[in-house]
Amino acid sequence: AQHALNVYTKKGYEHYTDADIMLYGLSTVEQETIYAIYDIFDSADNEELINDAKRIEKIVSLVLCDNKTYVSGEDF
């Protein structure tokens, strides 16, 4: 990915590939956490978010606990 922001300081060169100008300097995980929190407060249908979270939890559990091939739409 191309660096979105290049900064030259007395300590040297710094670069950021952040996708959101308001979140410069945060890690990818921190950005995704902020987006998730925003989506919860901004969503008109929190039930859809809850169902998505349950589905993701099931997928992660299957991946971590089983050595099998799964098919999206059939197994979860």
Side-chain angles (χ1 to χ4, degrees), residues 13-73:
Y13 171 69
E14 298 176 16
H15 61 274
Y16 302 95
T17 55
D18 307 319
D20 190 328
I21 194 168
M22 300 300 290
L23 303 177
Y24 277 126
L26 298 178
S27 71
T28 304
V29 172
E30 291 168 330
Q31 289 182 39
E32 291 302 323
T33 301
I34 290 169
Y35 290 136
I37 292 168
Y38 177 82
D39 287 343
I40 290 168
F41 286 112
D42 190 53
S43 177
D45 184 10
N46 287 333
E47 192 63 36
E48 181 181 349
L49 292 173
I50 291 169
N51 290 336
D52 289 347
K54 288 178 181 177
R55 182 172 184 259
I56 290 170
E57 285 177 8
K58 182 177 181 181
I59 292 168
V60 170
S61 177
L62 290 172
V63 168
L64 294 176
C65 298
D66 216 348
N67 190 15
K68 180 180 165 186
T69 301
Y70 292 97
V71 178
S72 178

